[in-house]
Amino acid sequence: MSGNIKLLSDTLAAAKAEGRSALIAYLPAGFPTVDGGIEAAKAVFDGGADVVEIGLPHSDPVLDGPVIQTADDIALRGGVKIADVMRTVREAHEATGKPVLVMTYWNPIDRYGIERFTAELAEAGGAGCILPDLPVQESATWREHADKHGLATVFVVAPSSKDARLTEITAAGSGFVYAASLMGVTGTRASVGEQAQDLVRRTKATTGLPVCVGLGVSNAEQAAEVAQFADGVIVGSAFVKLMLTADGDMTAGLGGIRALAGELAEGVRKRA
């Protein structure tokens, strides 16, 4: 069975055709429970997200700040497994028909087996993987299997990336490019800053792939700001924080993230 890279590309292209950025939401699998995580993914889609990234919880999430680390810890203590991640992808996609990716560090895939992981993700209807710590020069085997199964390989670029390095990274990637808006870890910020705009400009000079910005976006105003120059706006910690604040009240948590997704969806549609 082939994965849904085409659905991802078509979704991003459709947003561009509407003259707006796509809204991409991030939520970890297994948080607050496996079933709760599935309902959360459906809720942000219901609110207006175009794409959802499902995080594979990791004990040492080097790109993630304290909010997502807390959620990962809850998921891991709850016994979340890769099978639960695949189930989350499958049920979120089947319920909505929209593209769902997995965001994961490399070690879990390496231990699970590349062929097994890519085959199962494609079978679950996944659109691809975001791999923040897989060096491009060591990614050939992964990309071979991902291509075979119709999955996007999304690499992360940062403001520190030199132009030659951007060219190398974007040439190897597919689906879209994840542009980290600043140096540091995930989390909400008061301002996304000019670094993101410069990084998007430099990245677009190397590729025709959509460039989507993450790290720091937490409200409609910031989403509107980033939407002026990016093909997609990625929001994670703000959603996770609402689920944490709900403290087990799923009705409140799901209502909160659905409403935030709606506000962000309006934000990405605002033009300067």
Side-chain angles (χ1 to χ4, degrees):
M1 181 173 178
S2 182
N4 273 313
I5 185 173
K6 185 177 185 302
L7 176 62
L8 174 65
S9 298
D10 289 350
T11 299
L12 294 172
K16 184 175 183 179
E18 292 174 16
R20 66 174 179 90
S21 284
L23 174 61
I24 303 175
Y26 167 93
L27 291 161
F31 168 73
T33 62
V34 175
D35 288 344
I38 292 167
E39 291 308 309
K42 294 177 185 177
V44 292
F45 271 137
D46 288 345
D50 298 289
V51 180
V52 166
E53 304 170 6
I54 298 298
L56 196 162
H58 195 276
S59 57
D60 185 27
V62 293
L63 187 70
D64 296 306
V67 169
I68 292 174
Q69 286 183 23
T70 299
D72 277 5
D73 185 58
I74 290 169
L76 291 167
R77 285 191 281 113
V80 69
K81 301 287 192 296
I82 288 180
D84 299 315
V85 177
M86 299 299 179
R87 180 186 156 211
T88 303
V89 171
R90 175 181 289 106
E91 295 196 18
H93 170 64
E94 287 181 350
T96 64
K98 295 182 178 179
V100 183
L101 301 109
V102 168
M103 185 166 186
T104 179
Y105 298 97
W106 180 246
N107 182 257
I109 294 177
D110 194 37
R111 293 185 64 177
Y112 198 71
I114 299 173
E115 172 59 22
R116 181 184 178 194
F117 189 94
T118 51
E120 289 183 7
L121 182 56
E123 193 276 329
C129 252
I130 302 165
L131 301 161
D133 66 341
L134 176 63
V136 170
Q137 61 270 26
E138 298 174 18
S139 68
T141 301
W142 160 267
R143 287 186 283 123
E144 177 186 337
H145 287 281
D147 289 348
K148 180 174 74 171
H149 290 290
L151 298 169
T153 298
V154 178
F155 289 113
V156 179
V157 298
S160 60
S161 302
K162 304 298 184 186
D163 290 351
R165 180 67 174 160
L166 289 176
T167 301
E168 182 183 12
I169 293 171
T170 58
S174 56
F176 64 91
V177 182
Y178 187 126
S181 66
L182 54 123
M183 300 303 294
V185 297
T186 59
T188 59
R189 302 290 198 287
S191 173
V192 179
E194 294 180 4
Q195 279 188 326
Q197 188 167 0
D198 179 64
L199 176 59
V200 170
R201 178 188 60 76
R202 293 194 298 118
T203 304
K204 281 182 170 291
T206 73
T207 183
L209 289 173
V211 181
C212 304
V213 170
L215 274 68
V217 179
S218 61
N219 58 49
E221 291 73 27
Q222 290 173 333
E225 175 192 350
V226 173
Q228 304 308 310
F229 57 83
D231 298 300
V233 179
I234 303 169
V235 181
S237 294
F239 288 119
V240 177
K241 186 180 288 185
L242 284 172
M243 293 297 291
L244 284 169
T245 303
D247 196 25
D249 183 340
M250 285 299 295
T251 300
L254 295 175
I257 63 174
R258 188 181 292 109
L260 177 59
E263 294 166 12
L264 293 165
E266 288 184 16
V268 300
R269 286 166 169 80
K270 290 180 180 175
R271 310 312 297 168

